[in-house]
Amino acid sequence: MDAARCSVEYLSEFSDCQSHSVRIIQDATTLFFTRGDRDVLIFDAQERRVTTVMQFDASVINLELSEDKHRLFALCANGVIYSTLIPPPQFSSSSVLANKTPDSMLYIVPDDSIVLKNASLQAFTIVKKILVTLSLQKSIWSFDLYEEPGSRTLHKLASFQVLTLNTHLNITGKDKSVSSPPVLTCIYPEGSTSGSTRQSDLHPHLEPGLFRLLFGVDTSLVNSPVILCGLPDGRICCFPLFVPTLAGPNEEQRSPVRVLQSLEQPVVFIGTCISGELGPQCLVAVGQKGKLLMVKSKQANLEGKKADYSFNEHSVQGPVLCVCVDDKWMFYSSITDLHALQLTTESSSSTGAEAQLQALTSYSLGVYRVIALAGPYTNSTGSMKLLAVSLSGKLLCVNLPQGSENGNVARLPSFLAGQRVKDLLASIANIWERAESLKHKLQEKNESLKRLNQVINVCSLLLDKHGNEKACNVGKLPISCRGVTRWSSLLQRDSLTLTCVLENSSGCTLEHGWTLCIQVHPLSKGPNMEGSSMIYSFPFKKLDSGQKLDVTIPLESTCGLSLPVKVHCSLDFSLSALFSPEASSPDVSQLLTEVGSISAPLSTLRVDWLDALRLERSFSLGNIGHNTVTDGIQAFLRSRGVLTKDPDITTKSGPITVMVRVSSELLKTKLNLSATSSQEMCVSVLNWLVSPEATGRQSPVICAYSPDGCSVKLLVKEVTLGDFCSDGPLEVLEIQVESTSVAAVCGLHHAILWRLQVLLRDSDVKCGRTKQLKAQSLFEAVRHVESLFKDLQDAQNQAALGGTMKMNKNLEILFRIFLQLRANPLVIL
């Protein structure tokens, strides 16, 4: 066996297993397998599939088949033993809830299958229709014998106790568990089993001579099976199943349980091996730390000594997780390898001490992380196989190498040795190339996962920002985008541009694949504004933490400059950037085309007439147009989506003035102004409206140019209203806009009102008590608005009649109403 390698087949794969709770039972080609959870899987080795899943109420820790192999006994972690008929693959009843896979069905074990409840149960076995259980109660091991459940109530036949050795146990406060589960098995005398005596039977047996020497003449005469138990403290206890208990000198009942030997370490396996003419000639016990005990018989010699037995101890590589035996081989697994131990030597036929001193030979099979074994068994072709379960949940079929009687394989002819070496070298080279390819693919996947992790981190930062807007407003955002408007001149043509600054203040790096997307959406509804939104994309290679990215876009579209506009900024990531072009398979490429990209919103900006004011003196003459009142009205109506024809008449142009009045106390509180004088407050409010970053301005008056080239004057002054409030004079700030362009006056007035609305909506600061207004001033304001509303209705009725002259008259009426509404505005308190 050391000259050849075993081959491994993967039969199936399940989830990860618990090393101390995996149990596997083989019956011909059917496997009963539990991973330490609630399910018992019935696996067909020929079809290589799970046919039935039996589900219990709690985790299964032990399994046993009845002697007729028609019933399955299971011990669960809650101390309940179930006895249920094994459902055939085509099983169908009301207990079948659903198919877990197309090839397997789920069978819920009913509660009427419970035969015994005992929270302190540790192990059990079924022998000759007798249920033998082992429990731990108050530092006492208790062996209880019950008549196998049938139609009658469960009946206890006998009970035997053994004191524990507490120094070797890890017992909980309620004696529910031990550090290592006990091993409970049954040894039959030769001839008591029906049918074959192969080691694949459910219970091992011994040849009659050794059985009589170990367990007594009485046990041998009545042909009684013997229960052997390997306790966690290392003791191997035994007692016959059918021999009655004996009476002591004081006629007290003596327990038939006796200690056969102690391994001084938890027992993992008890079985028989080394078959002779009358049956197996050796009792084998294996400890968790690697101690191997072999009990053999000594034949009578010429000197007249009686036959006896000997205890031979050996050591194997530990820790030992699981064991199975054949006639001459023992297979055991440490966590690092699966070993084959030859239990016989060339001089095994010798007698006396010579046979005891022979060293055992162990071979490595090269299979790792095996935690459960079943077999070995011989298939129809004559090859030996082992069934194994790995720690990762794989069900393996290990094909053992076949050799001569002593385990050695015949050597190859010399003329084939060179060719075999060449083939092996070629195989090694091929495997190396495949390993390098797999390593390269693994590195690519790791890099893709790193990039995906970065993308998820960035999206999490942005989602946290939008989920906690108030918290983010207090401090600096980790990833932000802000905008600044500027006028630029090219070929004697002035245009308004927006510079967006993307700043990365987070700990993440925006790598290749990210794109800054800016969408410009006009808010005005003109005749040619349908579908006028523009989208600009700026991909970048890398933006480290602390770096900034500046991009500039024009705000003037093919329809001209339309204010105000909304600017939506977002970060988009293309999923195709996760993979290198040569690494992406066609399936991945198809998936990416369906998914697209990830879009994370950054911020929404607004650009209005206040942002578009030109504070400098220089501008291109080509941008100055005619600014009559009629032209201004037409421009204003077109910006609101009202189609008008060009009138033939021309109204005299003149400056137009509108104003907004706000309580001085309100603005001072909302803007946190520390100004002491009236002029300082006016200058601060004007800077807040036009250019918050401006410093050093001393005058509360700004003269600028509107986007259409008309001169604009903004003035902030403080006035006192004496008859407006009942509490006394009220100090208000009056914000005035003056220009010859109606469009500029309307746009600036709307921008001022929007800024005040945002200030009052977003601020959490509350002012003092509510002002008490005079009723007379409110009545006058209401009457004034009602009269203007009546004039507006009259103008609408006249417009319904049509006509160019009436249209021009309506324009003048509308313009007069507009001026009167803004000449005497209400006060924002």
Side-chain angles (χ1 to χ4, degrees):
M1 191 171 292
D2 57 340
R5 295 185 179 182
C6 64
S7 61
V8 178
E9 299 179 55
Y10 288 91
L11 299 182
S12 185
E13 184 172 357
F14 310 100
S15 58
D16 291 348
C17 301
Q18 302 176 18
S19 60
H20 293 293
S21 302
V22 176
R23 296 292 184 272
I24 180 170
I25 299 177
Q26 179 188 2
D27 177 25
T29 60
T30 302
L31 302 179
F32 299 88
F33 171 53
T34 177
R35 299 162 293 179
D37 54 9
R38 298 169 54 194
D39 297 336
V40 174
L41 311 178
I42 302 180
F43 185 85
D44 192 322
Q46 289 183 341
E47 299 182 7
R48 296 190 176 188
R49 68 182 183 90
V50 176
T51 59
T52 307
V53 179
M54 303 178 66
Q55 191 172 91
F56 295 82
D57 287 339
S59 300
V60 179
I61 61 177
N62 203 354
L63 294 175
E64 284 283 351
L65 282 177
S66 62
E67 292 190 352
D68 59 5
K69 301 180 182 178
H70 292 159
R71 301 185 70 87
L72 179 68
F73 290 81
L75 172 61
C76 296
N78 56 359
V80 177
I81 296 181
Y82 291 83
S83 173
T84 178
L85 287 172
I86 300 173
Q90 66 274 14
F91 178 85
S92 178
S93 74
S94 59
S95 297
V96 178
L97 297 182
N99 291 338
K100 279 198 169 184
T101 67
D103 298 329
S104 63
M105 55 181 54
L106 177 64
Y107 171 62
I108 306 298
V109 178
D111 291 340
D112 56 10
S113 300
I114 298 175
V115 297
L116 183 63
K117 289 184 179 181
N118 186 351
S120 60
L121 282 177
Q122 301 294 327
F124 79 98
T125 186
I126 301 293
V127 183
K128 295 290 185 179
K129 296 187 177 181
I130 294 179
L131 174 63
V132 182
T133 65
L134 176 63
S135 59
L136 177 63
Q137 291 181 339
K138 298 181 180 179
S139 301
I140 295 178
W141 292 106
S142 178
F143 295 93
D144 298 317
L145 279 62
Y146 300 90
E147 187 176 357
E148 184 179 352
S151 59
R152 298 176 298 173
T153 307
L154 192 65
H155 174 63
K156 181 183 286 190
L157 302 176
S159 180
F160 314 115
Q161 285 78 33
V162 177
L163 292 177
T164 62
L165 300 179
N166 293 333
T167 55
H168 296 83
L169 290 176
N170 181 19
I171 303 175
T172 61
K174 295 184 179 180
D175 295 339
K176 287 187 177 181
S177 63
V178 293
S179 58
S180 179
V183 176
L184 196 62
T185 187
C186 178
I187 302 294
Y188 282 89
E190 175 61 24
S192 64
T193 57
S194 60
S196 173
T197 59
R198 298 185 313 163
Q199 290 300 300
S200 60
D201 288 342
L202 294 180
H203 297 289
H205 51 273
L206 276 176
E207 58 95 9
L210 181 58
F211 187 89
R212 182 177 61 256
L213 291 173
L214 283 177
F215 307 120
V217 178
D218 295 340
T219 305
S220 180
L221 287 176
V222 298
N223 215 22
S224 170
V226 176
I227 303 296
L228 275 80
C229 178
L231 297 177
D233 56 26
R235 289 178 296 173
I236 301 176
C237 300
C238 64
F239 63 90
L241 193 63
F242 296 144
V243 176
T245 58
L246 302 177
N250 297 327
E251 297 185 356
E252 75 278 3
Q253 186 178 6
R254 291 190 304 177
S255 173
V257 181
R258 65 186 181 92
V259 177
L260 186 65
Q261 181 68 312
S262 177
L263 298 182
E264 298 180 351
Q265 56 187 252
V267 181
V268 175
F269 173 81
I270 300 176
T272 60
C273 63
I274 311 180
S275 296
E277 295 180 359
L278 299 178
Q281 301 172 335
C282 183
L283 179 67
V284 178
V286 184
Q288 191 181 65
K289 297 181 180 179
K291 181 177 287 188
L292 170 63
L293 174 66
M294 299 179 64
V295 184
K296 299 180 180 179
S297 61
K298 296 179 182 180
Q299 301 299 328
N301 53 21
L302 298 176
E303 299 178 358
K305 291 183 177 180
K306 295 182 179 180
D308 196 2
Y309 57 89
S310 63
F311 290 86
N312 301 325
E313 291 187 355
H314 304 271
S315 294
V316 297
Q317 181 180 349
V320 178
L321 299 183
C322 53
V323 182
C324 66
V325 294
D326 191 18
D327 285 343
K328 299 178 181 180
W329 292 89
M330 183 180 80
F331 303 93
Y332 69 95
S333 171
S334 61
I335 195 63
T336 57
D337 202 353
L338 180 62
H339 302 272
L341 183 68
Q342 187 176 1
L343 297 177
T344 60
T345 60
E346 295 180 357
S347 60
S348 60
S349 59
S350 61
T351 59
E354 295 181 1
Q356 301 178 20
L357 299 177
Q358 294 295 328
L360 302 180
T361 306
S362 177
Y363 304 95
S364 172
L365 297 181
V367 185
Y368 307 104
R369 304 180 70 189
V370 173
I371 59 175
L373 286 171
Y377 68 96
T378 304
N379 61 5
S380 58
T381 61
S383 60
M384 293 183 62
K385 297 179 180 295
L386 281 175
L387 293 176
V389 180
S390 68
L391 188 61
S392 59
K394 293 183 176 64
L395 181 61
L396 314 175
C397 179
V398 182
N399 299 306
L400 300 174
Q402 297 300 307
S404 59
E405 290 296 327
N406 57 5
N408 295 324
V409 178
R411 296 180 178 272
L412 289 174
S414 59
F415 65 90
L416 293 178
Q419 184 63 37
R420 178 62 62 87
V421 171
K422 290 181 181 179
D423 294 341
L424 290 176
L425 291 177
S427 299
I428 293 173
N430 187 23
I431 292 175
W432 180 83
E433 292 178 356
R434 291 171 55 193
E436 285 295 316
S437 176
L438 291 176
K439 182 180 178 181
H440 180 66
K441 291 181 180 179
L442 184 61
Q443 290 177 349
E444 288 182 344
K445 291 181 179 179
N446 288 337
E447 291 298 325
S448 299
L449 288 176
K450 287 181 181 179
R451 288 193 287 268
L452 181 59
N453 186 41
Q454 286 283 74
V455 173
I456 293 176
N457 289 337
V458 172
C459 293
S460 299
L461 290 175
L462 296 177
L463 289 177
D464 291 342
K465 178 197 75 172
H466 287 279
N468 302 284
E469 293 182 356
K470 293 185 178 181
C472 292
N473 290 334
V474 177
K476 191 175 183 180
L477 299 178
I479 301 177
S480 60
C481 186
R482 53 186 177 86
V484 179
T485 55
R486 291 187 178 89
W487 282 93
S488 61
S489 179
L490 180 63
L491 299 177
Q492 294 186 348
R493 178 175 175 81
D494 295 338
S495 61
L496 183 63
T497 61
L498 176 66
T499 300
C500 294
V501 182
L502 175 64
E503 184 175 1
N504 182 16
S505 301
S506 67
C508 303
T509 300
L510 302 179
E511 296 182 344
H512 173 68
W514 285 103
T515 301
L516 177 61
C517 293
I518 302 174
Q519 180 183 9
V520 181
H521 177 69
L523 297 178
S524 301
K525 298 180 181 179
N528 299 321
M529 299 304 293
E530 294 295 333
S532 59
S533 297
M534 299 293 294
I535 299 178
Y536 303 90
S537 299
F538 300 93
F540 52 89
K541 292 184 177 180
K542 191 175 184 181
L543 190 66
D544 289 324
S545 177
Q547 291 185 342
K548 298 179 182 180
L549 174 67
D550 298 349
V551 296
T552 301
I553 60 172
L555 292 178
E556 187 173 0
S557 62
T558 55
C559 301
L561 180 61
S562 176
L563 295 176
V565 297
K566 266 191 177 181
V567 181
H568 302 279
C569 302
S570 63
L571 275 177
D572 291 3
F573 183 83
S574 176
L575 295 179
S576 60
L578 294 174
F579 306 94
S580 57
E582 62 275 3
S584 298
S585 63
D587 296 337
V588 175
S589 301
Q590 182 180 1
L591 177 64
L592 295 181
T593 55
E594 295 174 358
V595 174
S597 60
I598 299 175
S599 181
L602 282 175
S603 58
T604 300
L605 310 176
R606 182 185 175 104
V607 179
D608 52 25
W609 283 74
L610 284 173
D611 298 310
L613 284 180
R614 302 189 61 177
L615 303 180
E616 65 273 8
R617 293 293 180 179
S618 59
F619 59 92
S620 301
L621 296 178
N623 285 339
I624 302 178
H626 300 284
N627 294 286
T628 62
V629 172
T630 304
D631 292 340
I633 295 174
Q634 291 288 340
F636 172 68
L637 293 178
R638 283 196 300 270
S639 68
R640 309 316 298 174
V642 180
L643 298 178
T644 59
K645 297 181 180 179
D646 294 335
D648 295 333
I649 62 172
T650 302
T651 308
K652 293 183 180 180
S653 61
I656 306 168
T657 302
V658 297
M659 66 181 66
V660 177
R661 290 177 178 176
V662 189
S663 169
S664 300
E665 181 183 355
L666 177 64
L667 280 181
K668 190 173 182 179
T669 304
K670 296 292 185 180
L671 295 177
N672 297 321
L673 300 179
S674 59
T676 56
S677 63
S678 173
Q679 184 174 0
E680 290 179 357
M681 183 182 299
C682 294
V683 172
S684 298
V685 172
L686 191 60
N687 289 337
W688 169 70
L689 288 173
V690 179
S691 53
E693 70 279 358
T695 57
R697 182 181 289 121
Q698 301 295 330
S699 174
V701 180
I702 290 180
C703 295
Y705 294 92
S706 63
D708 55 4
C710 294
S711 61
V712 176
K713 180 180 179 181
L714 272 75
L715 170 65
V716 179
K717 63 180 179 179
E718 188 174 23
V719 297
T720 302
L721 301 179
D723 57 348
F724 188 79
C725 183
S726 60
D727 296 337
L730 178 66
E731 302 293 336
V732 298
L733 288 180
E734 189 175 86
I735 305 172
Q736 294 184 1
V737 179
E738 181 180 333
S739 177
T740 58
S741 171
V742 176
V745 170
C746 293
L748 290 173
H749 182 261
H750 181 266
I752 293 172
L753 291 178
W754 183 80
R755 276 166 166 72
L756 291 172
Q757 181 182 0
V758 172
L759 178 66
L760 297 177
R761 181 189 62 197
D762 296 343
S763 178
D764 293 332
V765 180
K766 295 184 178 180
C767 298
R769 61 186 181 89
T770 305
K771 301 293 184 181
Q772 298 295 328
L773 304 181
K774 287 186 177 181
Q776 183 64 29
S777 59
L778 289 177
F779 292 155
E780 293 178 357
V782 169
R783 283 196 298 269
H784 177 64
V785 172
E786 288 178 348
S787 63
L788 293 178
F789 179 69
K790 184 178 182 304
D791 294 342
L792 180 60
Q793 285 182 329
D794 294 341
Q796 289 177 345
N797 294 333
Q798 294 178 5
L801 300 176
T804 303
M805 296 299 295
K806 292 182 179 181
M807 177 64 68
N808 294 335
K809 186 176 182 181
N810 288 336
L811 291 177
E812 294 178 358
I813 294 174
L814 290 175
F815 181 63
R816 178 178 56 81
I817 294 174
F818 167 76
L819 293 181
Q820 290 183 9
L821 280 174
R822 285 156 178 80
N824 188 19
L826 296 177
V827 180
I828 300 175
L829 298 177

